[in-house]
């Protein structure tokens, strides 16, 4: 997957506000995201996308970052090469896939050894 998209191109906003107390959820602008990354509170979205590229051939459709109960999370909407859309959640602090989210069955680790 080509990582031609930078964090500045993403729609960084809140979602599912009807499910979460509005006081616990707030919108994040690009400058704030850069500050959070530089101060080490979260990892860049590119880190999560690089990890994901090892498993899936996807195109990023949308990315959102929000905080709930002092936990930062990226919500990604992706289109698989096969054409359907999936939503994945990543822990923004560690850059890893949320334990409650599973990769689609089309995603398998790419072999690095040549045959």
């Amino acid at each position: 997957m080509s990582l031609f998209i930078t964090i500045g191109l993403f729609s960084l906003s809140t979602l599912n506000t009807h499910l979460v107390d509005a006081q616990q959820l707030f919108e994040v602008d690009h400058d704030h995201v850069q500050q959070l990354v530089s101060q080490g509170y979260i990892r860049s979205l590119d880190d999560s996308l690089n990890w994901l590229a090892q498993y899936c051939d996807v195109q990023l459709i949308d990315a959102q970052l929000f905080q709930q109960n002092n936990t930062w999370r990226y919500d990604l909407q992706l289109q698989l090469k096969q054409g359907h859309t999936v939503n994945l959640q990543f822990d923004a602090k560690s850059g890893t896939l949320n334990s409650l989210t599973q990769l689609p069955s089309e995603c398998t680790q790419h072999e690095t050894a040549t045959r």
Side-chain angles (χ1 to χ4, degrees):
M1 178 178 126
S2 173
L3 296 178
F4 57 88
I5 302 173
T6 63
I7 192 124
L9 299 176
F10 299 134
S11 165
L12 297 171
S13 62
T14 61
L15 57 113
N16 296 327
T17 54
H18 64 282
L19 299 176
V20 180
D21 182 353
Q23 294 178 343
Q24 295 178 341
L25 192 67
F26 67 90
E27 189 170 337
V28 183
D29 66 22
H30 176 70
D31 293 334
H32 191 189
V33 173
Q34 285 184 321
Q35 184 180 22
L36 290 168
V37 171
S38 67
Q39 292 176 348
Y41 290 109
I42 64 172
R43 298 183 66 131
S44 74
L45 183 56
D46 285 341
D47 289 347
S48 296
L49 293 174
N50 285 331
W51 178 86
L52 185 59
Q54 297 176 57
Y55 298 90
C56 298
D57 187 8
V58 296
Q59 180 178 2
L60 183 64
I61 296 171
D62 190 30
Q64 299 175 339
L65 173 69
F66 65 92
Q67 181 185 31
Q68 181 183 3
N69 300 328
N70 295 323
T71 302
W72 290 97
R73 185 176 83 203
Y74 288 116
D75 282 7
L76 307 180
Q77 184 177 31
L78 306 152
Q79 184 174 21
L80 293 169
K81 187 176 184 178
Q82 295 79 1
H84 64 280
T85 303
V86 295
N87 296 306
L88 297 177
Q89 295 177 353
F90 283 82
D91 179 309
K93 174 78 175 161
S94 66
T96 59
L97 191 63
N98 183 308
S99 62
L100 300 176
T101 307
Q102 291 183 349
L103 289 175
S105 60
E106 296 89 350
C107 297
T108 58
Q109 187 164 18
H110 300 306
E111 292 184 21
T112 55
T114 58
R115 292 182 180 237

